[in-house]
Amino acid sequence: MNRVYEKLMKCYESFKKKVDFIPEVALILGSGLGDYAEDIKVEAELDYHELDGFPVSTVPGHQGKYIFGYVGEVPVVCMKGRVHYYEGYDISDVVLPIRLMKLMGTKVLFLTNAAGGINSSFKAGDFMLIKDHISSFIPSPLIGANIDELGVRFPDMSNVYDTKLQKVIRRTAALNDIDIQEGVYIQLTGPNYETPAEVRMCRALGADAVGMSTACEAVAANHMGMMICGISCISNMASGISPNPLSHVEVQEVADRVAPLFKKLVTESIKNISKEINS
Ligand code: HPA
C-alpha cells in the first residue's frame, strides 16, 4: 500500500475505535478562532496525540485536537489547531488531517485563517471570502504516486471554492450585517512574513490576501471531492503596505479582537450551508 495512504488509514482506524460520530462539516480554525469550540455543543474530543502518526503543531496559539459536536443542529468536526508546512512536515502530512475528516464522513470543508491584506481597499480586521487561491509557491500535496482511493491523478481546479457555498456565506454576512470582502488567497511557505517586494509580486499575480496555510488543504480536499469554502480574517495589512513591521503578537491581537464577529459569521454560515446542501 502507498505509504501516505497507509498512514492515513492507520489514523482512521484509531479514530473509529475512539469516536462514534459522523460529522457533516469539517471546520478549521485559524489564529484567533481557537476558542470557537466554546460555541459548539461538544459530544467528543480527540487529542491529536491519540492518533498514531498524526502531525502535531508546534505553533503558539495552535492547540491540537479534533472536537466533535453540534453548531446549531449541524454535526461538525472542528480542528483546533492545524499544522503548517513551515513547521517542517512533509506536505502530505500537512493535509493528512483534512483527508481524515473526509473519511470521517464530512461533505463540506470550511477553512478559516488569518491573512495579510494585499488589496489596498482592505484594512486590518476585515473578513475576506476566498473565491480562489494561488498555491504555485508551495509543493502540491498530490505529488507522488496518486492515491486512487482518494481521487484522480489530474483533478480539475476550476471551482475549488464552491460557488453555491460562496453565495450562502455572502447572504449570511448580509443578513447579519457583517461586511465581507472577497478575493484571491495566496499561500507562501512562511514562516517569515513577506518582503514588500514579495507583496508587490503577489499583488501583480492577482492575490488579495497572503498567508501560510489553506491552499494546500483545499487542493487535497478538492482531490477528494469535498465542497470547500473559506474565509480569511485580515489580521494585518501585508508588509510594505502598512508602515509598521509585522509581529505574530499583533496578528493574533487583531484576530482576537474581531473573533466574536468572525465566530458569528462562521456559525450562521455553517447553519445555512447545511440547509443548502440538504435541501
Ligand atoms: N503574511 C503571511 N501570513 C500571514 C500574514 C501576513 O502578513 N498575516 C497573518 N498571516
PDB file of all heavy atoms in Angstrom, residues 29-38 61-63 65 67 78-81 112 252 256 259 263:
ATOM      1  N   LEU A  29      -9.988  26.006  12.279  1.00  0.00           N
ATOM      2  CA  LEU A  29      -9.924  27.301  12.952  1.00  0.00           C
ATOM      3  C   LEU A  29      -8.533  27.902  12.834  1.00  0.00           C
ATOM      4  O   LEU A  29      -7.558  27.315  13.293  1.00  0.00           O
ATOM      5  CB  LEU A  29     -10.261  27.121  14.430  1.00  0.00           C
ATOM      6  CG  LEU A  29     -11.603  26.441  14.692  1.00  0.00           C
ATOM      7  CD1 LEU A  29     -11.789  26.194  16.174  1.00  0.00           C
ATOM      8  CD2 LEU A  29     -12.743  27.275  14.129  1.00  0.00           C
ATOM      9  N   GLY A  30      -8.459  29.078  12.244  1.00  0.00           N
ATOM     10  CA  GLY A  30      -7.177  29.771  12.134  1.00  0.00           C
ATOM     11  C   GLY A  30      -6.883  30.553  13.401  1.00  0.00           C
ATOM     12  O   GLY A  30      -7.659  30.521  14.361  1.00  0.00           O
ATOM     13  N   SER A  31      -5.766  31.287  13.394  1.00  0.00           N
ATOM     14  CA  SER A  31      -5.369  32.112  14.553  1.00  0.00           C
ATOM     15  C   SER A  31      -6.538  32.989  14.975  1.00  0.00           C
ATOM     16  O   SER A  31      -7.207  33.577  14.135  1.00  0.00           O
ATOM     17  CB  SER A  31      -4.223  33.055  14.183  1.00  0.00           C
ATOM     18  OG  SER A  31      -3.195  32.358  13.571  1.00  0.00           O
ATOM     19  N   GLY A  32      -6.770  33.085  16.262  1.00  0.00           N
ATOM     20  CA  GLY A  32      -7.820  33.981  16.760  1.00  0.00           C
ATOM     21  C   GLY A  32      -9.151  33.285  16.931  1.00  0.00           C
ATOM     22  O   GLY A  32      -9.986  33.736  17.682  1.00  0.00           O
ATOM     23  N   LEU A  33      -9.354  32.187  16.225  1.00  0.00           N
ATOM     24  CA  LEU A  33     -10.625  31.465  16.361  1.00  0.00           C
ATOM     25  C   LEU A  33     -10.478  30.237  17.247  1.00  0.00           C
ATOM     26  O   LEU A  33     -11.371  29.403  17.317  1.00  0.00           O
ATOM     27  CB  LEU A  33     -11.134  31.027  14.980  1.00  0.00           C
ATOM     28  CG  LEU A  33     -11.984  32.035  14.221  1.00  0.00           C
ATOM     29  CD1 LEU A  33     -12.569  31.394  12.980  1.00  0.00           C
ATOM     30  CD2 LEU A  33     -13.111  32.568  15.086  1.00  0.00           C
ATOM     31  N   GLY A  34      -9.339  30.162  17.924  1.00  0.00           N
ATOM     32  CA  GLY A  34      -9.005  28.971  18.709  1.00  0.00           C
ATOM     33  C   GLY A  34     -10.039  28.603  19.752  1.00  0.00           C
ATOM     34  O   GLY A  34     -10.203  27.440  20.079  1.00  0.00           O
ATOM     35  N   ASP A  35     -10.778  29.630  20.250  1.00  0.00           N
ATOM     36  CA  ASP A  35     -11.756  29.311  21.298  1.00  0.00           C
ATOM     37  C   ASP A  35     -13.161  29.131  20.731  1.00  0.00           C
ATOM     38  O   ASP A  35     -14.133  29.133  21.471  1.00  0.00           O
ATOM     39  CB  ASP A  35     -11.737  30.385  22.384  1.00  0.00           C
ATOM     40  CG  ASP A  35     -12.155  31.744  21.862  1.00  0.00           C
ATOM     41  OD1 ASP A  35     -12.265  31.894  20.627  1.00  0.00           O
ATOM     42  OD2 ASP A  35     -12.384  32.651  22.679  1.00  0.00           O
ATOM     43  N   TYR A  36     -13.269  28.965  19.434  1.00  0.00           N
ATOM     44  CA  TYR A  36     -14.587  28.772  18.808  1.00  0.00           C
ATOM     45  C   TYR A  36     -15.312  27.580  19.406  1.00  0.00           C
ATOM     46  O   TYR A  36     -16.549  27.556  19.476  1.00  0.00           O
ATOM     47  CB  TYR A  36     -14.433  28.586  17.290  1.00  0.00           C
ATOM     48  CG  TYR A  36     -15.753  28.399  16.577  1.00  0.00           C
ATOM     49  CD1 TYR A  36     -16.549  29.505  16.265  1.00  0.00           C
ATOM     50  CD2 TYR A  36     -16.229  27.141  16.245  1.00  0.00           C
ATOM     51  CE1 TYR A  36     -17.771  29.347  15.644  1.00  0.00           C
ATOM     52  CE2 TYR A  36     -17.443  26.978  15.617  1.00  0.00           C
ATOM     53  CZ  TYR A  36     -18.213  28.090  15.316  1.00  0.00           C
ATOM     54  OH  TYR A  36     -19.434  27.919  14.702  1.00  0.00           O
ATOM     55  N   ALA A  37     -14.516  26.603  19.855  1.00  0.00           N
ATOM     56  CA  ALA A  37     -15.093  25.372  20.402  1.00  0.00           C
ATOM     57  C   ALA A  37     -16.080  25.661  21.522  1.00  0.00           C
ATOM     58  O   ALA A  37     -17.001  24.880  21.765  1.00  0.00           O
ATOM     59  CB  ALA A  37     -13.988  24.464  20.890  1.00  0.00           C
ATOM     60  N   GLU A  38     -15.921  26.810  22.177  1.00  0.00           N
ATOM     61  CA  GLU A  38     -16.860  27.175  23.244  1.00  0.00           C
ATOM     62  C   GLU A  38     -18.274  27.334  22.713  1.00  0.00           C
ATOM     63  O   GLU A  38     -19.243  27.238  23.466  1.00  0.00           O
ATOM     64  CB  GLU A  38     -16.411  28.484  23.914  1.00  0.00           C
ATOM     65  CG  GLU A  38     -15.188  28.283  24.796  1.00  0.00           C
ATOM     66  CD  GLU A  38     -14.487  29.584  25.157  1.00  0.00           C
ATOM     67  OE1 GLU A  38     -15.092  30.663  25.003  1.00  0.00           O
ATOM     68  OE2 GLU A  38     -13.314  29.499  25.571  1.00  0.00           O
ATOM     69  N   GLY A  61      -0.467  29.136  20.302  1.00  0.00           N
ATOM     70  CA  GLY A  61      -1.845  29.531  19.957  1.00  0.00           C
ATOM     71  C   GLY A  61      -2.546  28.495  19.099  1.00  0.00           C
ATOM     72  O   GLY A  61      -3.723  28.623  18.797  1.00  0.00           O
ATOM     73  N   HIS A  62      -1.834  27.478  18.640  1.00  0.00           N
ATOM     74  CA  HIS A  62      -2.460  26.415  17.849  1.00  0.00           C
ATOM     75  C   HIS A  62      -2.458  25.128  18.678  1.00  0.00           C
ATOM     76  O   HIS A  62      -1.465  24.410  18.714  1.00  0.00           O
ATOM     77  CB  HIS A  62      -1.692  26.168  16.545  1.00  0.00           C
ATOM     78  CG  HIS A  62      -1.813  27.278  15.563  1.00  0.00           C
ATOM     79  ND1 HIS A  62      -2.511  27.167  14.377  1.00  0.00           N
ATOM     80  CD2 HIS A  62      -1.344  28.547  15.593  1.00  0.00           C
ATOM     81  CE1 HIS A  62      -2.457  28.325  13.728  1.00  0.00           C
ATOM     82  NE2 HIS A  62      -1.749  29.172  14.437  1.00  0.00           N
ATOM     83  N   GLN A  63      -3.566  24.888  19.362  1.00  0.00           N
ATOM     84  CA  GLN A  63      -3.631  23.667  20.155  1.00  0.00           C
ATOM     85  C   GLN A  63      -4.040  22.516  19.266  1.00  0.00           C
ATOM     86  O   GLN A  63      -4.485  22.726  18.164  1.00  0.00           O
ATOM     87  CB  GLN A  63      -4.645  23.829  21.275  1.00  0.00           C
ATOM     88  CG  GLN A  63      -4.294  24.950  22.232  1.00  0.00           C
ATOM     89  CD  GLN A  63      -5.451  25.219  23.167  1.00  0.00           C
ATOM     90  OE1 GLN A  63      -6.107  24.309  23.643  1.00  0.00           O
ATOM     91  NE2 GLN A  63      -5.702  26.489  23.405  1.00  0.00           N
ATOM     92  N   LYS A  65      -6.399  19.391  18.834  1.00  0.00           N
ATOM     93  CA  LYS A  65      -7.376  18.312  18.980  1.00  0.00           C
ATOM     94  C   LYS A  65      -8.525  18.482  17.997  1.00  0.00           C
ATOM     95  O   LYS A  65      -8.811  19.596  17.542  1.00  0.00           O
ATOM     96  CB  LYS A  65      -7.902  18.237  20.416  1.00  0.00           C
ATOM     97  CG  LYS A  65      -8.576  19.463  20.938  1.00  0.00           C
ATOM     98  CD  LYS A  65      -8.974  19.256  22.415  1.00  0.00           C
ATOM     99  CE  LYS A  65      -9.346  20.579  23.053  1.00  0.00           C
ATOM    100  NZ  LYS A  65      -9.599  20.478  24.470  1.00  0.00           N
ATOM    101  N   ILE A  67     -12.503  18.371  17.697  1.00  0.00           N
ATOM    102  CA  ILE A  67     -13.674  18.489  18.566  1.00  0.00           C
ATOM    103  C   ILE A  67     -14.896  18.085  17.738  1.00  0.00           C
ATOM    104  O   ILE A  67     -15.073  18.575  16.611  1.00  0.00           O
ATOM    105  CB  ILE A  67     -13.812  19.930  19.090  1.00  0.00           C
ATOM    106  CG1 ILE A  67     -12.628  20.215  20.015  1.00  0.00           C
ATOM    107  CG2 ILE A  67     -15.125  20.130  19.825  1.00  0.00           C
ATOM    108  CD1 ILE A  67     -12.401  21.643  20.318  1.00  0.00           C
ATOM    109  N   CYS A  78     -14.309  19.874  14.313  1.00  0.00           N
ATOM    110  CA  CYS A  78     -13.593  21.118  14.271  1.00  0.00           C
ATOM    111  C   CYS A  78     -12.139  20.839  14.624  1.00  0.00           C
ATOM    112  O   CYS A  78     -11.852  20.125  15.589  1.00  0.00           O
ATOM    113  CB  CYS A  78     -14.308  21.996  15.273  1.00  0.00           C
ATOM    114  SG  CYS A  78     -13.444  23.379  15.776  1.00  0.00           S
ATOM    115  N   MET A  79     -11.247  21.374  13.834  1.00  0.00           N
ATOM    116  CA  MET A  79      -9.818  21.178  14.126  1.00  0.00           C
ATOM    117  C   MET A  79      -9.328  22.360  14.918  1.00  0.00           C
ATOM    118  O   MET A  79      -9.244  23.481  14.393  1.00  0.00           O
ATOM    119  CB  MET A  79      -9.013  21.118  12.841  1.00  0.00           C
ATOM    120  CG  MET A  79      -8.935  19.761  12.243  1.00  0.00           C
ATOM    121  SD  MET A  79      -7.685  19.744  10.941  1.00  0.00           S
ATOM    122  CE  MET A  79      -6.193  19.463  11.876  1.00  0.00           C
ATOM    123  N   LYS A  80      -9.019  22.120  16.158  1.00  0.00           N
ATOM    124  CA  LYS A  80      -8.468  23.194  16.981  1.00  0.00           C
ATOM    125  C   LYS A  80      -6.955  23.114  16.833  1.00  0.00           C
ATOM    126  O   LYS A  80      -6.304  22.309  17.503  1.00  0.00           O
ATOM    127  CB  LYS A  80      -8.916  22.983  18.421  1.00  0.00           C
ATOM    128  CG  LYS A  80      -8.755  24.183  19.266  1.00  0.00           C
ATOM    129  CD  LYS A  80      -9.411  24.024  20.600  1.00  0.00           C
ATOM    130  CE  LYS A  80      -9.153  25.264  21.426  1.00  0.00           C
ATOM    131  NZ  LYS A  80      -9.707  25.149  22.754  1.00  0.00           N
ATOM    132  N   GLY A  81      -6.444  23.897  15.921  1.00  0.00           N
ATOM    133  CA  GLY A  81      -5.011  23.824  15.609  1.00  0.00           C
ATOM    134  C   GLY A  81      -4.778  22.994  14.356  1.00  0.00           C
ATOM    135  O   GLY A  81      -5.392  21.955  14.172  1.00  0.00           O
ATOM    136  N   THR A 112     -10.718  28.448   7.646  1.00  0.00           N
ATOM    137  CA  THR A 112     -10.526  29.826   8.096  1.00  0.00           C
ATOM    138  C   THR A 112      -9.039  30.048   8.367  1.00  0.00           C
ATOM    139  O   THR A 112      -8.307  29.095   8.638  1.00  0.00           O
ATOM    140  CB  THR A 112     -11.328  30.177   9.377  1.00  0.00           C
ATOM    141  OG1 THR A 112     -10.745  29.509  10.504  1.00  0.00           O
ATOM    142  CG2 THR A 112     -12.790  29.792   9.258  1.00  0.00           C
ATOM    143  N   GLN A 252      -2.146  38.152  16.071  1.00  0.00           N
ATOM    144  CA  GLN A 252      -3.029  37.433  16.997  1.00  0.00           C
ATOM    145  C   GLN A 252      -3.994  38.409  17.681  1.00  0.00           C
ATOM    146  O   GLN A 252      -5.167  38.105  17.850  1.00  0.00           O
ATOM    147  CB  GLN A 252      -2.158  36.731  18.045  1.00  0.00           C
ATOM    148  CG  GLN A 252      -2.871  35.653  18.825  1.00  0.00           C
ATOM    149  CD  GLN A 252      -2.676  34.273  18.212  1.00  0.00           C
ATOM    150  OE1 GLN A 252      -1.591  33.960  17.740  1.00  0.00           O
ATOM    151  NE2 GLN A 252      -3.725  33.477  18.204  1.00  0.00           N
ATOM    152  N   ASP A 256      -7.942  38.214  17.534  1.00  0.00           N
ATOM    153  CA  ASP A 256      -8.716  38.063  18.780  1.00  0.00           C
ATOM    154  C   ASP A 256      -9.810  39.130  18.891  1.00  0.00           C
ATOM    155  O   ASP A 256     -10.906  38.852  19.344  1.00  0.00           O
ATOM    156  CB  ASP A 256      -7.796  38.163  20.018  1.00  0.00           C
ATOM    157  CG  ASP A 256      -6.909  36.928  20.165  1.00  0.00           C
ATOM    158  OD1 ASP A 256      -7.191  35.905  19.508  1.00  0.00           O
ATOM    159  OD2 ASP A 256      -5.915  36.993  20.926  1.00  0.00           O
ATOM    160  N   ALA A 259     -12.684  38.325  16.720  1.00  0.00           N
ATOM    161  CA  ALA A 259     -13.130  36.926  16.857  1.00  0.00           C
ATOM    162  C   ALA A 259     -14.643  36.772  17.093  1.00  0.00           C
ATOM    163  O   ALA A 259     -15.268  35.919  16.472  1.00  0.00           O
ATOM    164  CB  ALA A 259     -12.333  36.223  17.945  1.00  0.00           C
ATOM    165  N   LYS A 263     -16.761  34.539  14.616  1.00  0.00           N
ATOM    166  CA  LYS A 263     -17.446  33.344  15.090  1.00  0.00           C
ATOM    167  C   LYS A 263     -18.903  33.356  14.663  1.00  0.00           C
ATOM    168  O   LYS A 263     -19.444  32.340  14.255  1.00  0.00           O
ATOM    169  CB  LYS A 263     -17.396  33.289  16.620  1.00  0.00           C
ATOM    170  CG  LYS A 263     -16.068  32.843  17.165  1.00  0.00           C
ATOM    171  CD  LYS A 263     -16.183  32.655  18.656  1.00  0.00           C
ATOM    172  CE  LYS A 263     -14.925  33.120  19.335  1.00  0.00           C
ATOM    173  NZ  LYS A 263     -15.034  33.158  20.770  1.00  0.00           N
TER     174      LYS A 263
END
